[in-house]
Amino acid sequence: RQADACAKRIVPVAMTKILLTTTSFQDTPGEHHKLLADTGWEVIRARGPLNEADTLALVGDIDGYICGDDMITRQVLEKARPKLKVLSKYGIGVDKIDVKTCTEFGLPLLFTPGVNHTTVAEHTFLLLLALEKNFLFHTDSTRAGGWKRKTGHELLEKTIGIIGLGRIGKEVAIRARAFGMKAIGYDVYWDEKFAAAHDVKRVATLDEIYAASDYISLHTNLTPETRDMISAKSFPKMKKGVLILNCARGEIVHTADIVEALKSGQVGGYGTDVLDEEPPKPDHPLLKLPNAIVTPHIGSRTAESVQRQAVAAVTNLIRAMHGEKPLAQVNPEVAV
């Protein structure tokens, strides 16, 4: 009888549940899968990026969350607490997350800086070269059995204006110099040592970037100040036929305005890995323009980069769940 009474008092311990939504993590083989599996936690998988409604439907009974670019609003966080203990971002952009509410709720928000700058910089040049060499036109022609040709342009001695000279912007500058280009940069936080070593000229205003650049490459965070920064107001300040590259955030460029600028020829080409709506509707206006190249937010999706990001995201999660210091935590004063 005593044993029966003890058995009745035993309460099963609920398994720790982790929500995983980033598709790059899920679709790419690597050690990150074993690292997460070895925790013994239950992993609930969904295919992100999730909108607010889909995110809401999945939280409430999860202890940890490895997210991509899901909409994590105050409403989502209110439902997620008090069970949610850690939010681990796969990547560096936290503009889809209500950082202020995370701070208010005491919810650790972790991220993975310094893992994808090489890959994104390479992707930037993929977009640039594809535009300047009419790459899609030529491959479409030959695949269709034709031999149509257009004359392209060299990168040599062209000026590239880099907006945001953080890790990715610096890697773009290094590659630009290797192509024999002139690099100019705009950033509030300026690394004098790097700029001197790689011959990157600092400009004081965005207007100077616009006026001098043959190519403009965006590598800044999405903030209230940078939202719609590239728009009908800024195009007249740029060289006619300028090429714009965006491996940052789609909302930095005003979609309707750049569509009109591409149609008029004010902007010669737009190479972007990001859109204001992801995934886009089939009738998104940028998808059909011949001088726009859109890739599906895969600038950092290489086997090497994914493993670095995923291992960092899992390591952050494990450490924080055990009360240990993570690799990197978002500073709300910087992120907001």
Side-chain angles (χ1 to χ4, degrees), residues 62-67 72 77 84-90 97-98 102 107-111 316-317 320-321 330:
I62 59 168
D63 303 277
Y65 188 172
I66 299 177
C67 64
I72 303 176
L77 293 169
L84 183 64
K85 301 178 183 67
V86 180
L87 188 56
S88 181
K89 171 66 197 284
Y90 168 93
I97 301 171
D98 190 330
C102 288
L107 177 66
L109 174 56
L110 318 175
F111 70 148
N316 274 336
L317 180 69
M321 291 287 284
V330 173

mmCIF file with all atom_site columns, all heavy atoms in Angstrom, residues 62-67 72 77 84-90 97-98 102 107-111 316-317 320-321 330:
data_model
loop_
_atom_site.group_PDB
_atom_site.id
_atom_site.type_symbol
_atom_site.label_atom_id
_atom_site.label_alt_id
_atom_site.label_comp_id
_atom_site.label_asym_id
_atom_site.label_entity_id
_atom_site.label_seq_id
_atom_site.pdbx_PDB_ins_code
_atom_site.Cartn_x
_atom_site.Cartn_y
_atom_site.Cartn_z
_atom_site.occupancy
_atom_site.B_iso_or_equiv
_atom_site.pdbx_formal_charge
_atom_site.auth_seq_id
_atom_site.auth_comp_id
_atom_site.auth_asym_id
_atom_site.auth_atom_id
_atom_site.pdbx_PDB_model_num
ATOM 1   N N   . ILE A 1 62  ? 5.621  25.763 -25.706 1.00 0.00 ? 62  ILE A N   1
ATOM 2   C CA  . ILE A 1 62  ? 7.014  25.503 -26.057 1.00 0.00 ? 62  ILE A CA  1
ATOM 3   C C   . ILE A 1 62  ? 7.937  26.192 -25.057 1.00 0.00 ? 62  ILE A C   1
ATOM 4   O O   . ILE A 1 62  ? 7.629  27.258 -24.527 1.00 0.00 ? 62  ILE A O   1
ATOM 5   C CB  . ILE A 1 62  ? 7.347  25.965 -27.493 1.00 0.00 ? 62  ILE A CB  1
ATOM 6   C CG1 . ILE A 1 62  ? 7.085  27.457 -27.656 1.00 0.00 ? 62  ILE A CG1 1
ATOM 7   C CG2 . ILE A 1 62  ? 6.573  25.145 -28.512 1.00 0.00 ? 62  ILE A CG2 1
ATOM 8   C CD1 . ILE A 1 62  ? 7.653  28.025 -28.946 1.00 0.00 ? 62  ILE A CD1 1
ATOM 9   N N   . ASP A 1 63  ? 9.085  25.550 -24.825 1.00 0.00 ? 63  ASP A N   1
ATOM 10  C CA  . ASP A 1 63  ? 10.052 26.069 -23.855 1.00 0.00 ? 63  ASP A CA  1
ATOM 11  C C   . ASP A 1 63  ? 11.160 26.880 -24.518 1.00 0.00 ? 63  ASP A C   1
ATOM 12  O O   . ASP A 1 63  ? 11.720 27.794 -23.912 1.00 0.00 ? 63  ASP A O   1
ATOM 13  C CB  . ASP A 1 63  ? 10.684 24.907 -23.084 1.00 0.00 ? 63  ASP A CB  1
ATOM 14  C CG  . ASP A 1 63  ? 9.646  24.053 -22.377 1.00 0.00 ? 63  ASP A CG  1
ATOM 15  O OD1 . ASP A 1 63  ? 9.238  24.431 -21.270 1.00 0.00 ? 63  ASP A OD1 1
ATOM 16  O OD2 . ASP A 1 63  ? 9.230  23.023 -22.950 1.00 0.00 ? 63  ASP A OD2 1
ATOM 17  N N   . GLY A 1 64  ? 11.490 26.515 -25.748 1.00 0.00 ? 64  GLY A N   1
ATOM 18  C CA  . GLY A 1 64  ? 12.538 27.207 -26.491 1.00 0.00 ? 64  GLY A CA  1
ATOM 19  C C   . GLY A 1 64  ? 12.124 27.353 -27.939 1.00 0.00 ? 64  GLY A C   1
ATOM 20  O O   . GLY A 1 64  ? 11.286 26.593 -28.441 1.00 0.00 ? 64  GLY A O   1
ATOM 21  N N   . TYR A 1 65  ? 12.727 28.317 -28.634 1.00 0.00 ? 65  TYR A N   1
ATOM 22  C CA  . TYR A 1 65  ? 12.285 28.640 -29.989 1.00 0.00 ? 65  TYR A CA  1
ATOM 23  C C   . TYR A 1 65  ? 13.510 29.029 -30.817 1.00 0.00 ? 65  TYR A C   1
ATOM 24  O O   . TYR A 1 65  ? 14.202 29.995 -30.514 1.00 0.00 ? 65  TYR A O   1
ATOM 25  C CB  . TYR A 1 65  ? 11.288 29.800 -29.893 1.00 0.00 ? 65  TYR A CB  1
ATOM 26  C CG  . TYR A 1 65  ? 10.547 30.189 -31.151 1.00 0.00 ? 65  TYR A CG  1
ATOM 27  C CD1 . TYR A 1 65  ? 9.517  31.123 -31.077 1.00 0.00 ? 65  TYR A CD1 1
ATOM 28  C CD2 . TYR A 1 65  ? 10.848 29.667 -32.408 1.00 0.00 ? 65  TYR A CD2 1
ATOM 29  C CE1 . TYR A 1 65  ? 8.797  31.512 -32.207 1.00 0.00 ? 65  TYR A CE1 1
ATOM 30  C CE2 . TYR A 1 65  ? 10.149 30.035 -33.540 1.00 0.00 ? 65  TYR A CE2 1
ATOM 31  C CZ  . TYR A 1 65  ? 9.120  30.967 -33.435 1.00 0.00 ? 65  TYR A CZ  1
ATOM 32  O OH  . TYR A 1 65  ? 8.432  31.358 -34.555 1.00 0.00 ? 65  TYR A OH  1
ATOM 33  N N   . ILE A 1 66  ? 13.790 28.234 -31.860 1.00 0.00 ? 66  ILE A N   1
ATOM 34  C CA  . ILE A 1 66  ? 14.806 28.602 -32.844 1.00 0.00 ? 66  ILE A CA  1
ATOM 35  C C   . ILE A 1 66  ? 14.056 29.126 -34.056 1.00 0.00 ? 66  ILE A C   1
ATOM 36  O O   . ILE A 1 66  ? 13.394 28.366 -34.767 1.00 0.00 ? 66  ILE A O   1
ATOM 37  C CB  . ILE A 1 66  ? 15.692 27.408 -33.237 1.00 0.00 ? 66  ILE A CB  1
ATOM 38  C CG1 . ILE A 1 66  ? 16.423 26.868 -32.009 1.00 0.00 ? 66  ILE A CG1 1
ATOM 39  C CG2 . ILE A 1 66  ? 16.712 27.836 -34.300 1.00 0.00 ? 66  ILE A CG2 1
ATOM 40  C CD1 . ILE A 1 66  ? 17.281 25.631 -32.300 1.00 0.00 ? 66  ILE A CD1 1
ATOM 41  N N   . CYS A 1 67  ? 14.140 30.432 -34.282 1.00 0.00 ? 67  CYS A N   1
ATOM 42  C CA  . CYS A 1 67  ? 13.318 31.065 -35.307 1.00 0.00 ? 67  CYS A CA  1
ATOM 43  C C   . CYS A 1 67  ? 14.171 31.596 -36.451 1.00 0.00 ? 67  CYS A C   1
ATOM 44  O O   . CYS A 1 67  ? 15.363 31.831 -36.307 1.00 0.00 ? 67  CYS A O   1
ATOM 45  C CB  . CYS A 1 67  ? 12.497 32.199 -34.708 1.00 0.00 ? 67  CYS A CB  1
ATOM 46  S SG  . CYS A 1 67  ? 13.498 33.571 -34.076 1.00 0.00 ? 67  CYS A SG  1
ATOM 47  N N   . ILE A 1 72  ? 7.194  37.667 -34.772 1.00 0.00 ? 72  ILE A N   1
ATOM 48  C CA  . ILE A 1 72  ? 7.077  37.420 -33.340 1.00 0.00 ? 72  ILE A CA  1
ATOM 49  C C   . ILE A 1 72  ? 6.711  38.745 -32.681 1.00 0.00 ? 72  ILE A C   1
ATOM 50  O O   . ILE A 1 72  ? 7.568  39.546 -32.314 1.00 0.00 ? 72  ILE A O   1
ATOM 51  C CB  . ILE A 1 72  ? 8.378  36.822 -32.780 1.00 0.00 ? 72  ILE A CB  1
ATOM 52  C CG1 . ILE A 1 72  ? 8.714  35.527 -33.536 1.00 0.00 ? 72  ILE A CG1 1
ATOM 53  C CG2 . ILE A 1 72  ? 8.257  36.554 -31.291 1.00 0.00 ? 72  ILE A CG2 1
ATOM 54  C CD1 . ILE A 1 72  ? 10.027 34.890 -33.141 1.00 0.00 ? 72  ILE A CD1 1
ATOM 55  N N   . LEU A 1 77  ? 4.286  36.872 -28.055 1.00 0.00 ? 77  LEU A N   1
ATOM 56  C CA  . LEU A 1 77  ? 5.081  36.722 -26.834 1.00 0.00 ? 77  LEU A CA  1
ATOM 57  C C   . LEU A 1 77  ? 4.200  36.623 -25.595 1.00 0.00 ? 77  LEU A C   1
ATOM 58  O O   . LEU A 1 77  ? 4.539  35.909 -24.640 1.00 0.00 ? 77  LEU A O   1
ATOM 59  C CB  . LEU A 1 77  ? 6.051  37.895 -26.707 1.00 0.00 ? 77  LEU A CB  1
ATOM 60  C CG  . LEU A 1 77  ? 7.151  37.933 -27.788 1.00 0.00 ? 77  LEU A CG  1
ATOM 61  C CD1 . LEU A 1 77  ? 7.898  39.258 -27.754 1.00 0.00 ? 77  LEU A CD1 1
ATOM 62  C CD2 . LEU A 1 77  ? 8.130  36.774 -27.611 1.00 0.00 ? 77  LEU A CD2 1
ATOM 63  N N   . LEU A 1 84  ? 7.754  29.933 -22.387 1.00 0.00 ? 84  LEU A N   1
ATOM 64  C CA  . LEU A 1 84  ? 8.908  30.175 -23.250 1.00 0.00 ? 84  LEU A CA  1
ATOM 65  C C   . LEU A 1 84  ? 10.051 30.791 -22.448 1.00 0.00 ? 84  LEU A C   1
ATOM 66  O O   . LEU A 1 84  ? 9.898  31.838 -21.846 1.00 0.00 ? 84  LEU A O   1
ATOM 67  C CB  . LEU A 1 84  ? 8.519  31.095 -24.405 1.00 0.00 ? 84  LEU A CB  1
ATOM 68  C CG  . LEU A 1 84  ? 9.625  31.381 -25.423 1.00 0.00 ? 84  LEU A CG  1
ATOM 69  C CD1 . LEU A 1 84  ? 10.046 30.101 -26.139 1.00 0.00 ? 84  LEU A CD1 1
ATOM 70  C CD2 . LEU A 1 84  ? 9.173  32.423 -26.438 1.00 0.00 ? 84  LEU A CD2 1
ATOM 71  N N   . LYS A 1 85  ? 11.186 30.116 -22.478 1.00 0.00 ? 85  LYS A N   1
ATOM 72  C CA  . LYS A 1 85  ? 12.338 30.565 -21.690 1.00 0.00 ? 85  LYS A CA  1
ATOM 73  C C   . LYS A 1 85  ? 13.415 31.241 -22.534 1.00 0.00 ? 85  LYS A C   1
ATOM 74  O O   . LYS A 1 85  ? 14.129 32.111 -22.045 1.00 0.00 ? 85  LYS A O   1
ATOM 75  C CB  . LYS A 1 85  ? 12.958 29.373 -20.963 1.00 0.00 ? 85  LYS A CB  1
ATOM 76  C CG  . LYS A 1 85  ? 12.016 28.644 -20.018 1.00 0.00 ? 85  LYS A CG  1
ATOM 77  C CD  . LYS A 1 85  ? 12.712 27.456 -19.376 1.00 0.00 ? 85  LYS A CD  1
ATOM 78  C CE  . LYS A 1 85  ? 11.744 26.675 -18.493 1.00 0.00 ? 85  LYS A CE  1
ATOM 79  N NZ  . LYS A 1 85  ? 10.686 26.007 -19.287 1.00 0.00 ? 85  LYS A NZ  1
ATOM 80  N N   . VAL A 1 86  ? 13.531 30.830 -23.814 1.00 0.00 ? 86  VAL A N   1
ATOM 81  C CA  . VAL A 1 86  ? 14.620 31.339 -24.650 1.00 0.00 ? 86  VAL A CA  1
ATOM 82  C C   . VAL A 1 86  ? 14.138 31.484 -26.092 1.00 0.00 ? 86  VAL A C   1
ATOM 83  O O   . VAL A 1 86  ? 13.458 30.601 -26.617 1.00 0.00 ? 86  VAL A O   1
ATOM 84  C CB  . VAL A 1 86  ? 15.839 30.391 -24.634 1.00 0.00 ? 86  VAL A CB  1
ATOM 85  C CG1 . VAL A 1 86  ? 16.955 30.945 -25.522 1.00 0.00 ? 86  VAL A CG1 1
ATOM 86  C CG2 . VAL A 1 86  ? 16.346 30.179 -23.213 1.00 0.00 ? 86  VAL A CG2 1
ATOM 87  N N   . LEU A 1 87  ? 14.518 32.591 -26.705 1.00 0.00 ? 87  LEU A N   1
ATOM 88  C CA  . LEU A 1 87  ? 14.251 32.823 -28.120 1.00 0.00 ? 87  LEU A CA  1
ATOM 89  C C   . LEU A 1 87  ? 15.610 32.931 -28.815 1.00 0.00 ? 87  LEU A C   1
ATOM 90  O O   . LEU A 1 87  ? 16.365 33.870 -28.582 1.00 0.00 ? 87  LEU A O   1
ATOM 91  C CB  . LEU A 1 87  ? 13.454 34.108 -28.300 1.00 0.00 ? 87  LEU A CB  1
ATOM 92  C CG  . LEU A 1 87  ? 12.904 34.450 -29.681 1.00 0.00 ? 87  LEU A CG  1
ATOM 93  C CD1 . LEU A 1 87  ? 12.041 33.328 -30.220 1.00 0.00 ? 87  LEU A CD1 1
ATOM 94  C CD2 . LEU A 1 87  ? 12.101 35.741 -29.606 1.00 0.00 ? 87  LEU A CD2 1
ATOM 95  N N   . SER A 1 88  ? 15.929 31.953 -29.652 1.00 0.00 ? 88  SER A N   1
ATOM 96  C CA  . SER A 1 88  ? 17.229 31.896 -30.320 1.00 0.00 ? 88  SER A CA  1
ATOM 97  C C   . SER A 1 88  ? 17.039 32.146 -31.806 1.00 0.00 ? 88  SER A C   1
ATOM 98  O O   . SER A 1 88  ? 16.479 31.318 -32.517 1.00 0.00 ? 88  SER A O   1
ATOM 99  C CB  . SER A 1 88  ? 17.888 30.533 -30.081 1.00 0.00 ? 88  SER A CB  1
ATOM 100 O OG  . SER A 1 88  ? 19.157 30.474 -30.707 1.00 0.00 ? 88  SER A OG  1
ATOM 101 N N   . LYS A 1 89  ? 17.526 33.304 -32.266 1.00 0.00 ? 89  LYS A N   1
ATOM 102 C CA  . LYS A 1 89  ? 17.387 33.671 -33.680 1.00 0.00 ? 89  LYS A CA  1
ATOM 103 C C   . LYS A 1 89  ? 18.483 33.011 -34.502 1.00 0.00 ? 89  LYS A C   1
ATOM 104 O O   . LYS A 1 89  ? 19.658 33.141 -34.204 1.00 0.00 ? 89  LYS A O   1
ATOM 105 C CB  . LYS A 1 89  ? 17.439 35.199 -33.836 1.00 0.00 ? 89  LYS A CB  1
ATOM 106 C CG  . LYS A 1 89  ? 17.522 35.692 -35.287 1.00 0.00 ? 89  LYS A CG  1
ATOM 107 C CD  . LYS A 1 89  ? 16.258 35.365 -36.064 1.00 0.00 ? 89  LYS A CD  1
ATOM 108 C CE  . LYS A 1 89  ? 16.487 35.460 -37.573 1.00 0.00 ? 89  LYS A CE  1
ATOM 109 N NZ  . LYS A 1 89  ? 16.540 36.824 -38.067 1.00 0.00 ? 89  LYS A NZ  1
ATOM 110 N N   . TYR A 1 90  ? 18.073 32.321 -35.568 1.00 0.00 ? 90  TYR A N   1
ATOM 111 C CA  . TYR A 1 90  ? 19.009 31.797 -36.554 1.00 0.00 ? 90  TYR A CA  1
ATOM 112 C C   . TYR A 1 90  ? 19.283 32.946 -37.518 1.00 0.00 ? 90  TYR A C   1
ATOM 113 O O   . TYR A 1 90  ? 18.448 33.288 -38.343 1.00 0.00 ? 90  TYR A O   1
ATOM 114 C CB  . TYR A 1 90  ? 18.374 30.599 -37.265 1.00 0.00 ? 90  TYR A CB  1
ATOM 115 C CG  . TYR A 1 90  ? 19.105 30.125 -38.503 1.00 0.00 ? 90  TYR A CG  1
ATOM 116 C CD1 . TYR A 1 90  ? 20.053 29.117 -38.426 1.00 0.00 ? 90  TYR A CD1 1
ATOM 117 C CD2 . TYR A 1 90  ? 18.838 30.674 -39.749 1.00 0.00 ? 90  TYR A CD2 1
ATOM 118 C CE1 . TYR A 1 90  ? 20.716 28.675 -39.558 1.00 0.00 ? 90  TYR A CE1 1
ATOM 119 C CE2 . TYR A 1 90  ? 19.500 30.247 -40.888 1.00 0.00 ? 90  TYR A CE2 1
ATOM 120 C CZ  . TYR A 1 90  ? 20.432 29.247 -40.789 1.00 0.00 ? 90  TYR A CZ  1
ATOM 121 O OH  . TYR A 1 90  ? 21.078 28.815 -41.918 1.00 0.00 ? 90  TYR A OH  1
ATOM 122 N N   . ILE A 1 97  ? 10.998 40.717 -34.851 1.00 0.00 ? 97  ILE A N   1
ATOM 123 C CA  . ILE A 1 97  ? 10.775 40.347 -33.457 1.00 0.00 ? 97  ILE A CA  1
ATOM 124 C C   . ILE A 1 97  ? 10.551 41.605 -32.627 1.00 0.00 ? 97  ILE A C   1
ATOM 125 O O   . ILE A 1 97  ? 11.260 42.598 -32.793 1.00 0.00 ? 97  ILE A O   1
ATOM 126 C CB  . ILE A 1 97  ? 11.980 39.573 -32.899 1.00 0.00 ? 97  ILE A CB  1
ATOM 127 C CG1 . ILE A 1 97  ? 12.236 38.304 -33.732 1.00 0.00 ? 97  ILE A CG1 1
ATOM 128 C CG2 . ILE A 1 97  ? 11.769 39.198 -31.434 1.00 0.00 ? 97  ILE A CG2 1
ATOM 129 C CD1 . ILE A 1 97  ? 13.533 37.587 -33.380 1.00 0.00 ? 97  ILE A CD1 1
ATOM 130 N N   . ASP A 1 98  ? 9.563  41.565 -31.725 1.00 0.00 ? 98  ASP A N   1
ATOM 131 C CA  . ASP A 1 98  ? 9.315  42.687 -30.826 1.00 0.00 ? 98  ASP A CA  1
ATOM 132 C C   . ASP A 1 98  ? 10.369 42.655 -29.718 1.00 0.00 ? 98  ASP A C   1
ATOM 133 O O   . ASP A 1 98  ? 10.176 42.030 -28.670 1.00 0.00 ? 98  ASP A O   1
ATOM 134 C CB  . ASP A 1 98  ? 7.900  42.589 -30.240 1.00 0.00 ? 98  ASP A CB  1
ATOM 135 C CG  . ASP A 1 98  ? 7.495  43.843 -29.481 1.00 0.00 ? 98  ASP A CG  1
ATOM 136 O OD1 . ASP A 1 98  ? 8.384  44.520 -28.923 1.00 0.00 ? 98  ASP A OD1 1
ATOM 137 O OD2 . ASP A 1 98  ? 6.293  44.149 -29.437 1.00 0.00 ? 98  ASP A OD2 1
ATOM 138 N N   . CYS A 1 102 ? 10.373 41.515 -25.586 1.00 0.00 ? 102 CYS A N   1
ATOM 139 C CA  . CYS A 1 102 ? 11.292 40.493 -25.055 1.00 0.00 ? 102 CYS A CA  1
ATOM 140 C C   . CYS A 1 102 ? 12.014 41.028 -23.827 1.00 0.00 ? 102 CYS A C   1
ATOM 141 O O   . CYS A 1 102 ? 12.140 40.333 -22.807 1.00 0.00 ? 102 CYS A O   1
ATOM 142 C CB  . CYS A 1 102 ? 12.307 40.093 -26.114 1.00 0.00 ? 102 CYS A CB  1
ATOM 143 S SG  . CYS A 1 102 ? 11.666 39.087 -27.473 1.00 0.00 ? 102 CYS A SG  1
ATOM 144 N N   . LEU A 1 107 ? 12.811 37.955 -21.442 1.00 0.00 ? 107 LEU A N   1
ATOM 145 C CA  . LEU A 1 107 ? 13.028 36.795 -22.306 1.00 0.00 ? 107 LEU A CA  1
ATOM 146 C C   . LEU A 1 107 ? 14.344 36.962 -23.062 1.00 0.00 ? 107 LEU A C   1
ATOM 147 O O   . LEU A 1 107 ? 14.496 37.899 -23.857 1.00 0.00 ? 107 LEU A O   1
ATOM 148 C CB  . LEU A 1 107 ? 11.875 36.667 -23.302 1.00 0.00 ? 107 LEU A CB  1
ATOM 149 C CG  . LEU A 1 107 ? 11.973 35.532 -24.330 1.00 0.00 ? 107 LEU A CG  1
ATOM 150 C CD1 . LEU A 1 107 ? 11.902 34.178 -23.638 1.00 0.00 ? 107 LEU A CD1 1
ATOM 151 C CD2 . LEU A 1 107 ? 10.861 35.661 -25.366 1.00 0.00 ? 107 LEU A CD2 1
ATOM 152 N N   . PRO A 1 108 ? 15.309 36.099 -22.843 1.00 0.00 ? 108 PRO A N   1
ATOM 153 C CA  . PRO A 1 108 ? 16.583 36.215 -23.564 1.00 0.00 ? 108 PRO A CA  1
ATOM 154 C C   . PRO A 1 108 ? 16.375 36.076 -25.072 1.00 0.00 ? 108 PRO A C   1
ATOM 155 O O   . PRO A 1 108 ? 15.766 35.116 -25.540 1.00 0.00 ? 108 PRO A O   1
ATOM 156 C CB  . PRO A 1 108 ? 17.404 35.039 -23.022 1.00 0.00 ? 108 PRO A CB  1
ATOM 157 C CG  . PRO A 1 108 ? 16.773 34.678 -21.725 1.00 0.00 ? 108 PRO A CG  1
ATOM 158 C CD  . PRO A 1 108 ? 15.318 34.978 -21.888 1.00 0.00 ? 108 PRO A CD  1
ATOM 159 N N   . LEU A 1 109 ? 16.881 37.054 -25.822 1.00 0.00 ? 109 LEU A N   1
ATOM 160 C CA  . LEU A 1 109 ? 16.825 37.028 -27.279 1.00 0.00 ? 109 LEU A CA  1
ATOM 161 C C   . LEU A 1 109 ? 18.253 36.904 -27.789 1.00 0.00 ? 109 LEU A C   1
ATOM 162 O O   . LEU A 1 109 ? 19.057 37.826 -27.656 1.00 0.00 ? 109 LEU A O   1
ATOM 163 C CB  . LEU A 1 109 ? 16.155 38.300 -27.812 1.00 0.00 ? 109 LEU A CB  1
ATOM 164 C CG  . LEU A 1 109 ? 16.150 38.498 -29.319 1.00 0.00 ? 109 LEU A CG  1
ATOM 165 C CD1 . LEU A 1 109 ? 15.517 37.310 -30.035 1.00 0.00 ? 109 LEU A CD1 1
ATOM 166 C CD2 . LEU A 1 109 ? 15.422 39.790 -29.694 1.00 0.00 ? 109 LEU A CD2 1
ATOM 167 N N   . LEU A 1 110 ? 18.552 35.761 -28.379 1.00 0.00 ? 110 LEU A N   1
ATOM 168 C CA  . LEU A 1 110 ? 19.905 35.444 -28.797 1.00 0.00 ? 110 LEU A CA  1
ATOM 169 C C   . LEU A 1 110 ? 19.997 35.477 -30.321 1.00 0.00 ? 110 LEU A C   1
ATOM 170 O O   . LEU A 1 110 ? 18.989 35.276 -31.007 1.00 0.00 ? 110 LEU A O   1
ATOM 171 C CB  . LEU A 1 110 ? 20.304 34.063 -28.276 1.00 0.00 ? 110 LEU A CB  1
ATOM 172 C CG  . LEU A 1 110 ? 19.875 33.766 -26.832 1.00 0.00 ? 110 LEU A CG  1
ATOM 173 C CD1 . LEU A 1 110 ? 20.213 32.348 -26.454 1.00 0.00 ? 110 LEU A CD1 1
ATOM 174 C CD2 . LEU A 1 110 ? 20.511 34.756 -25.862 1.00 0.00 ? 110 LEU A CD2 1
ATOM 175 N N   . PHE A 1 111 ? 21.184 35.725 -30.861 1.00 0.00 ? 111 PHE A N   1
ATOM 176 C CA  . PHE A 1 111 ? 21.349 35.741 -32.306 1.00 0.00 ? 111 PHE A CA  1
ATOM 177 C C   . PHE A 1 111 ? 22.756 35.277 -32.668 1.00 0.00 ? 111 PHE A C   1
ATOM 178 O O   . PHE A 1 111 ? 23.535 34.900 -31.788 1.00 0.00 ? 111 PHE A O   1
ATOM 179 C CB  . PHE A 1 111 ? 20.996 37.101 -32.896 1.00 0.00 ? 111 PHE A CB  1
ATOM 180 C CG  . PHE A 1 111 ? 21.958 38.223 -32.592 1.00 0.00 ? 111 PHE A CG  1
ATOM 181 C CD1 . PHE A 1 111 ? 22.146 39.244 -33.507 1.00 0.00 ? 111 PHE A CD1 1
ATOM 182 C CD2 . PHE A 1 111 ? 22.649 38.311 -31.375 1.00 0.00 ? 111 PHE A CD2 1
ATOM 183 C CE1 . PHE A 1 111 ? 23.016 40.304 -33.248 1.00 0.00 ? 111 PHE A CE1 1
ATOM 184 C CE2 . PHE A 1 111 ? 23.505 39.362 -31.109 1.00 0.00 ? 111 PHE A CE2 1
ATOM 185 C CZ  . PHE A 1 111 ? 23.695 40.355 -32.051 1.00 0.00 ? 111 PHE A CZ  1
ATOM 186 N N   . ASN A 1 316 ? 23.578 28.596 -28.539 1.00 0.00 ? 316 ASN A N   1
ATOM 187 C CA  . ASN A 1 316 ? 22.941 29.671 -27.774 1.00 0.00 ? 316 ASN A CA  1
ATOM 188 C C   . ASN A 1 316 ? 21.769 29.141 -26.957 1.00 0.00 ? 316 ASN A C   1
ATOM 189 O O   . ASN A 1 316 ? 21.620 29.443 -25.767 1.00 0.00 ? 316 ASN A O   1
ATOM 190 C CB  . ASN A 1 316 ? 22.438 30.765 -28.718 1.00 0.00 ? 316 ASN A CB  1
ATOM 191 C CG  . ASN A 1 316 ? 23.493 31.792 -29.055 1.00 0.00 ? 316 ASN A CG  1
ATOM 192 O OD1 . ASN A 1 316 ? 24.452 31.996 -28.314 1.00 0.00 ? 316 ASN A OD1 1
ATOM 193 N ND2 . ASN A 1 316 ? 23.324 32.467 -30.179 1.00 0.00 ? 316 ASN A ND2 1
ATOM 194 N N   . LEU A 1 317 ? 20.918 28.355 -27.620 1.00 0.00 ? 317 LEU A N   1
ATOM 195 C CA  . LEU A 1 317 ? 19.726 27.817 -26.959 1.00 0.00 ? 317 LEU A CA  1
ATOM 196 C C   . LEU A 1 317 ? 20.098 26.917 -25.788 1.00 0.00 ? 317 LEU A C   1
ATOM 197 O O   . LEU A 1 317 ? 19.561 27.072 -24.677 1.00 0.00 ? 317 LEU A O   1
ATOM 198 C CB  . LEU A 1 317 ? 18.892 27.041 -27.979 1.00 0.00 ? 317 LEU A CB  1
ATOM 199 C CG  . LEU A 1 317 ? 17.602 26.410 -27.445 1.00 0.00 ? 317 LEU A CG  1
ATOM 200 C CD1 . LEU A 1 317 ? 16.598 27.491 -27.089 1.00 0.00 ? 317 LEU A CD1 1
ATOM 201 C CD2 . LEU A 1 317 ? 17.003 25.449 -28.469 1.00 0.00 ? 317 LEU A CD2 1
ATOM 202 N N   . ALA A 1 320 ? 21.620 28.940 -22.832 1.00 0.00 ? 320 ALA A N   1
ATOM 203 C CA  . ALA A 1 320 ? 20.638 29.762 -22.118 1.00 0.00 ? 320 ALA A CA  1
ATOM 204 C C   . ALA A 1 320 ? 19.637 28.906 -21.352 1.00 0.00 ? 320 ALA A C   1
ATOM 205 O O   . ALA A 1 320 ? 19.229 29.261 -20.238 1.00 0.00 ? 320 ALA A O   1
ATOM 206 C CB  . ALA A 1 320 ? 19.911 30.672 -23.108 1.00 0.00 ? 320 ALA A CB  1
ATOM 207 N N   . MET A 1 321 ? 19.248 27.782 -21.932 1.00 0.00 ? 321 MET A N   1
ATOM 208 C CA  . MET A 1 321 ? 18.294 26.898 -21.250 1.00 0.00 ? 321 MET A CA  1
ATOM 209 C C   . MET A 1 321 ? 18.899 26.327 -19.967 1.00 0.00 ? 321 MET A C   1
ATOM 210 O O   . MET A 1 321 ? 18.173 26.000 -19.019 1.00 0.00 ? 321 MET A O   1
ATOM 211 C CB  . MET A 1 321 ? 17.874 25.760 -22.185 1.00 0.00 ? 321 MET A CB  1
ATOM 212 C CG  . MET A 1 321 ? 17.016 26.190 -23.361 1.00 0.00 ? 321 MET A CG  1
ATOM 213 S SD  . MET A 1 321 ? 15.321 26.639 -22.918 1.00 0.00 ? 321 MET A SD  1
ATOM 214 C CE  . MET A 1 321 ? 14.592 25.028 -22.666 1.00 0.00 ? 321 MET A CE  1
ATOM 215 N N   . VAL A 1 330 ? 21.127 39.796 -28.100 1.00 0.00 ? 330 VAL A N   1
ATOM 216 C CA  . VAL A 1 330 ? 20.765 41.069 -28.707 1.00 0.00 ? 330 VAL A CA  1
ATOM 217 C C   . VAL A 1 330 ? 20.758 42.171 -27.665 1.00 0.00 ? 330 VAL A C   1
ATOM 218 O O   . VAL A 1 330 ? 20.212 42.019 -26.576 1.00 0.00 ? 330 VAL A O   1
ATOM 219 C CB  . VAL A 1 330 ? 19.374 40.963 -29.387 1.00 0.00 ? 330 VAL A CB  1
ATOM 220 C CG1 . VAL A 1 330 ? 18.913 42.336 -29.868 1.00 0.00 ? 330 VAL A CG1 1
ATOM 221 C CG2 . VAL A 1 330 ? 19.423 39.981 -30.550 1.00 0.00 ? 330 VAL A CG2 1
#
